[in-house]
Amino acid sequence: MEFNGSQHIGASRAEVWRRLNDHQTLQECLPGCEQFQLQDDGAYDAVIVASIGPIKARFKGIARFSNHEERVGYRIEGNGSGGIAGFGKLNANIRLEDSDGGTTLHYLATAQLGGKLAQIGSRLVGSVANKLLADFFSRFEKLVSERQETASP
């Protein structure tokens, strides 16, 4: 499955970049995220609870961020397992650019699913994934914009 799109964020590119590299911000913005902890090797241990159709599971996994280009973007590679619910793998590229009144974040992601998740069907899984992306960006936009306004003189 492939997901791509863009999101306008009402904050400077420097602030968006800073927040995209802050594990607390990411944990606050990821729907269902119970844990997002930086490990010694630079990877993040994550625990996310998600419902996809009739399946609700706690997914435990690892996310690695690489190919950092300061204030431009990076690559995310992640995988997680939800026990009998199945597993997922994600690869995503994130790019930032200046835009009127803020920053535009562009993303291109591919996901692979296995187990019961794969049996549900890509249409339902895609719909849920798009909802999770929308929730993430809504939370991120609100959090980053509010904090930038508070920091402004």
Side-chain angles (χ1 to χ4, degrees):
M1 269 186 291
E2 187 171 289
F3 304 93
N4 64 64
S6 60
Q7 179 72 35
H8 181 269
I9 300 165
S12 69
R13 191 191 306 196
E15 180 65 8
V16 171
W17 177 254
R18 186 176 78 76
R19 292 309 198 144
L20 285 174
N21 288 282
D22 176 56
H23 75 278
Q24 274 192 291
T25 298
L26 295 175
Q27 182 172 348
E28 277 185 61
C29 296
L30 286 166
C33 187
E34 294 180 343
Q35 175 183 320
F36 198 78
Q37 258 184 322
L38 181 61
Q39 300 304 307
D40 292 338
D41 66 356
Y44 290 87
D45 282 339
V47 176
I48 296 176
V49 175
S51 294
I52 302 172
I55 298 173
K56 181 176 182 178
R58 175 174 276 112
F59 293 89
K60 295 180 181 180
I62 295 174
R64 294 187 188 284
F65 295 70
S66 61
N67 299 340
H68 283 80
E69 293 180 55
E70 184 75 24
R71 296 185 186 183
V72 174
Y74 54 55
R75 180 172 177 74
I76 305 168
E77 296 176 27
N79 63 69
S81 176
I84 63 169
F87 67 89
K89 293 181 180 182
L90 171 78
N91 290 303
N93 290 306
I94 309 298
R95 290 279 171 242
L96 302 176
E97 68 180 27
D98 293 327
S99 61
D100 289 340
T103 304
T104 300
L105 182 152
H106 300 278
Y107 62 91
L108 173 60
T110 57
Q112 297 173 330
L113 303 173
K116 287 186 177 183
L117 289 175
Q119 295 171 2
I120 290 176
S122 61
R123 190 171 187 175
L124 177 58
V125 173
S127 174
V128 171
N130 284 323
K131 167 111 174 60
L132 292 173
L133 279 168
D135 288 351
F136 171 84
F137 283 124
S138 174
R139 292 173 183 190
F140 189 81
E141 163 71 25
K142 184 177 182 191
L143 186 69
V144 173
S145 297
E146 283 177 357
R147 293 202 178 152
Q148 180 154 316
E149 287 173 13
T150 304
S152 296

